[in-house]
Amino acid sequence: DRLRYVEAKHGRICMLGVVGYLVQEAGYRLGGNIDLAGTKFSDIPNGFAALAAIPAGGLCQLLFFIGLLETTIMKDVTGTNEFVGDFRNMNPEGGLDYGWDSFDEETKLEKRAIELNNGRAAQMGL
């Protein structure tokens, strides 16, 4: 279960990373400055070269945000997960649900397999 949990989580992170990389390569950038010194978002290069160009304060903010996600959001805080990697964390009265409960078991397994395969491909892409 632990390995599947880590695979699903890293796959989701990599899928977001691939989308972010493609958006930047397409030329879309946030407007404005990244810091008070006047560094523009458009001045930051793509990929791993961005780590050297982002100001130290920005990297600290990124690491803090990642730590916050790891300790609060990216886990089963209610103890009611349906499967390994289920982070919906819904309260008993309902809450955030994108229609997952309306699928039959076969469709749920198929969608979970698709997510794992897309995550594996994204991990290879990064």
Side-chain angles (χ1 to χ4, degrees):
D1 282 351
R2 170 86 176 129
L3 293 177
R4 182 53 52 107
Y5 163 79
V6 171
E7 180 183 17
K9 186 171 77 168
H10 288 153
R12 291 171 182 164
I13 291 167
C14 286
M15 285 188 279
L16 288 172
V18 167
V19 169
Y21 190 84
L22 293 174
V23 166
Q24 286 183 348
E25 282 293 319
Y28 296 103
R29 301 294 177 112
L30 294 173
N33 297 332
I34 195 169
D35 63 2
L36 297 176
T39 306
K40 296 179 181 179
F41 283 102
S42 59
D43 295 338
I44 305 296
N46 293 347
F48 289 112
L51 293 175
I54 295 175
L59 288 177
C60 289
Q61 288 176 1
L62 283 172
L63 291 175
F64 176 77
F65 182 66
I66 291 169
L68 184 70
L69 290 176
E70 284 284 329
T71 58
T72 59
I73 305 293
M74 297 296 289
K75 62 181 181 176
D76 180 27
V77 296
T78 62
T80 59
N81 63 347
E82 185 178 333
F83 54 89
V84 176
D86 180 11
F87 300 136
R88 288 180 290 166
N89 295 322
M90 293 184 356
N91 57 27
E93 295 84 33
L96 182 65
D97 184 19
Y98 296 111
W100 180 258
D101 293 332
S102 65
F103 298 131
D104 61 5
E105 291 303 315
E106 183 179 333
T107 304
K108 287 180 181 181
L109 284 174
E110 180 183 341
K111 289 191 175 290
R112 286 173 47 203
I114 290 170
E115 180 189 24
L116 282 174
N117 287 330
N118 286 342
R120 290 171 183 156
Q123 290 176 59
M124 294 301 293
L126 285 183

